[in-house]
Amino acid sequence: MASKKERKKSNYSEAEIDVLLMELQMRGKVLFGSLSGGVTTKSKYVAWQAVTQAVNEVGGKQRTLPEVKKKWADLKLQSKKRIAAHMAKVRLTGGGGPTCKLSPEDERICAIIGEGAVKGIYEEGDTDLLSAEGSEDEGSLQR
């Protein structure tokens, strides 16, 4: 039985990653928009095909759509981890100010997915406490 040994594809080049992020920024509303907002599954598929084609034109390697989606998921996960570690350093007790800046790639990914996905919606704390404080103020006014 003759089996061909599959070779691993080479890593993504900086140019491929740059084009991937640029295409995702341009097509973000379609790719990451909700289906209830008028975006169809077919339009998302067509947009991902266009992203894949743009990455293939730059790199010269034939990457498939699932490979490009996987690369985006990996980039997003790694970036979220780096941003979370950076934010933890910034918030250290004793004035642990920012020791280093985020990489331009991390900033671009953060812009694509939105700060809420990375940092959370409220940085001040629990939103239940905010609503409880508001209702206490209203109660004291009524007395």
Side-chain angles (χ1 to χ4, degrees), residues 49-136:
Q49 287 286 35
V51 170
T52 303
Q53 182 179 0
V55 169
N56 285 335
E57 287 174 1
V58 170
K61 300 165 193 76
Q62 290 304 308
R63 310 240 187 232
T64 63
L65 186 122
E67 290 171 345
V68 172
K69 282 185 173 183
K70 174 76 167 115
K71 183 61 179 178
W72 166 240
D74 291 346
L75 284 172
K76 190 169 54 168
L77 179 69
Q78 293 164 1
S79 184
K80 280 183 176 183
K81 285 181 181 180
R82 286 190 297 266
I83 292 169
H86 175 76
M87 294 305 293
K89 284 183 183 179
V90 169
R91 293 185 181 138
L92 283 175
T93 303
T99 56
C100 61
K101 294 186 87 177
L102 291 172
S103 72
E105 182 180 293
D106 287 337
E107 290 178 0
R108 285 178 73 186
I109 291 172
C110 186
I112 293 170
I113 62 176
E115 287 190 23
V118 176
K119 297 178 182 177
I121 297 174
Y122 293 98
E123 292 183 346
E124 287 79 30
D126 192 1
T127 58
D128 291 339
L129 295 177
L130 293 174
S131 63
E133 288 173 2
S135 63
E136 287 176 11

